[in-house]
């Protein structure tokens, strides 16, 4: 980018993260720490994308910023865990799991948990607008009608869904069956990467964390896990 395309806080800012130098001018390209920007890094294999990400992670850690890395493609961030004092979690059958569970979050009120589980389900399995309404109604009924024993797990929600969902929509016959079947199959897919145990946010909020997702069974499992983490972090941001 040319310097005139960027605000002054993105050029030669001594209190910001130094990304590199702008060609032809040599001036520093910087990102302020209070920035809420997303950054897309592209390039051919071997051109330094992972190196740049690693440098950013190290720089943020050195500036006493909290860092959470979700690794989808085996970029070997584990090797820098000691440098940034990070705990490492592997979301596969052989690693230390985070027990991702949108229905049971330590330290969350029931209202906060309901908001998290609703947003997560909408982003993970809803395909079109009517399903948004149906899912919201089902989640709301789950929290208001379920016993304490039935709350707190994806398996408990699926059982409640199978029993309650047909009462919450206006479809009938084969259309209703197809509609419910499509959502049910997506819900059951969530069981392969979500846990029924309590999710403990402090595991990633109190210290830097590297979350390895690359060894999960499928791309869909990786996407679902990442969706949960993003929805959770958005919820945490709303608390602040």
């Amino acid at each position: 980018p040319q310097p005139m395309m960027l605000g002054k806080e993105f050029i030669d800012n001594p209190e910001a993260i130094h990304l590199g130098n702008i060609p032809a001018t040599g001036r520093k390209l910087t990102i302020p720490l209070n920035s809420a920007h997303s950054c897309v890094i592209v390039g051919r294999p071997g051109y330094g994308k992972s190196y740049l990400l690693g440098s950013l992670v190290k720089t943020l850690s050195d500036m006493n910023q909290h860092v959470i890395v979700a690794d989808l493609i085996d970029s070997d961030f584990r090797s820098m865990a000691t440098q940034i004092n990070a705990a490492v979690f592997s979301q596969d059958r052989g690693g230390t799991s985070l027990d991702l569970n949108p229905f049971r979050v330590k330290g969350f009120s029931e209202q906060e948990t309901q908001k998290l589980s609703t947003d997560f389900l909408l982003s993970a399995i809803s395909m079109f607008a009517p399903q948004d309404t149906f899912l919201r109604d089902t989640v709301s009924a789950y929290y208001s009608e379920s016993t304490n024993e039935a709350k707190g797990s994806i398996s408990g929600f699926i059982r409640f869904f199978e029993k309650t969902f047909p009462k919450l929509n206006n479809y009938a016959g084969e259309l209703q069956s197809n509609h419910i079947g499509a959502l049910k199959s997506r819900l059951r897919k969530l069981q392969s990467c979500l846990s029924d145990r309590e999710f403990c946010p402090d595991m990633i909020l109190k210290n830097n964390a590297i979350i390895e997702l690359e060894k999960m069974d499928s791309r869909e499992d990786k996407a679902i896990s990442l969706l949960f983490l993003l929805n959770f972090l958005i919820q945490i941001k709303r608390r602040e």
Side-chain angles (χ1 to χ4, degrees):
Q2 297 297 317
M4 68 283 295
M5 297 172 60
L6 300 168
K8 61 181 181 179
E9 69 273 20
F10 292 94
I11 304 295
D12 294 334
N13 186 344
E15 298 180 354
I17 303 168
H18 179 203
L19 285 181
N21 297 333
I22 300 173
T25 68
R27 300 183 69 182
K28 294 180 179 179
L29 176 62
T30 53
I31 297 181
L33 288 175
N34 62 354
S35 172
H37 291 74
S38 299
C39 180
V40 179
I41 300 173
V42 297
R44 296 178 181 178
Y47 270 46
K49 299 184 296 298
S50 296
Y51 179 83
L52 174 57
L53 283 171
S55 296
L56 284 174
V57 168
K58 181 65 166 58
T59 299
L60 286 167
S61 178
D62 289 345
M63 298 174 78
N64 295 319
Q65 299 297 307
H66 182 218
V67 178
I68 299 174
V69 177
D71 189 357
L72 297 170
I73 56 171
D74 193 14
S75 297
D76 195 28
F77 283 104
R78 174 186 285 263
S79 63
M80 61 186 307
T82 302
Q83 300 177 51
I84 65 172
N85 192 28
V88 179
F89 304 94
S90 298
Q91 295 303 107
D92 59 35
R93 293 171 186 171
T96 302
S97 172
L98 280 174
D99 292 329
L100 305 180
N101 183 359
F103 297 97
R104 190 180 174 197
V105 182
K106 187 175 182 179
F108 269 33
S109 66
E110 184 170 298
Q111 183 179 6
E112 289 174 318
T113 306
Q114 180 174 339
K115 174 63 175 170
L116 173 61
S117 54
T118 300
D119 290 349
F120 168 71
L121 289 172
L122 289 175
S123 61
I125 68 174
S126 184
M127 296 182 295
F128 53 92
Q131 287 187 346
D132 290 359
T133 302
F134 301 151
L135 279 171
R136 289 183 191 277
D137 290 345
T138 305
V139 174
S140 178
Y142 171 71
Y143 280 97
S144 62
E145 299 176 16
S146 293
T147 63
N148 289 333
E149 292 76 15
K151 292 180 182 179
S153 68
I154 183 64
S155 56
F157 178 76
I158 291 174
R159 290 193 298 271
F160 181 85
F161 168 86
E162 292 172 342
K163 179 180 67 174
T164 307
F165 191 82
K167 304 175 185 177
L168 298 174
N169 69 74
N170 298 320
Y171 293 138
E174 184 178 356
L175 184 57
Q176 183 190 72
S177 177
N178 291 340
H179 188 64
I180 295 174
L183 283 175
K184 189 186 299 183
S185 65
R186 285 168 174 77
L187 280 169
R188 293 200 176 280
K189 180 61 180 175
L190 301 184
Q191 287 185 294
S192 65
C193 50
L194 297 180
S195 172
D196 282 347
R197 294 187 291 270
E198 184 178 53
F199 173 57
C200 297
D202 285 355
M203 296 175 74
I204 61 173
L205 294 180
K206 294 296 186 182
N207 300 290
N208 293 337
I210 296 172
I211 307 167
E212 298 178 330
L213 303 175
E214 74 274 6
K215 295 179 182 178
M216 299 189 76
D217 291 339
S218 68
R219 291 181 178 179
E220 188 173 5
D221 286 350
K222 295 178 184 179
I224 290 169
S225 298
L226 189 58
L227 272 174
F228 169 81
L229 290 167
L230 290 174
N231 277 283
F232 165 71
L233 292 172
I234 289 170
Q235 187 81 346
I236 290 294
K237 193 66 178 176
R238 288 177 180 148
R239 279 179 141 195
E240 297 176 353

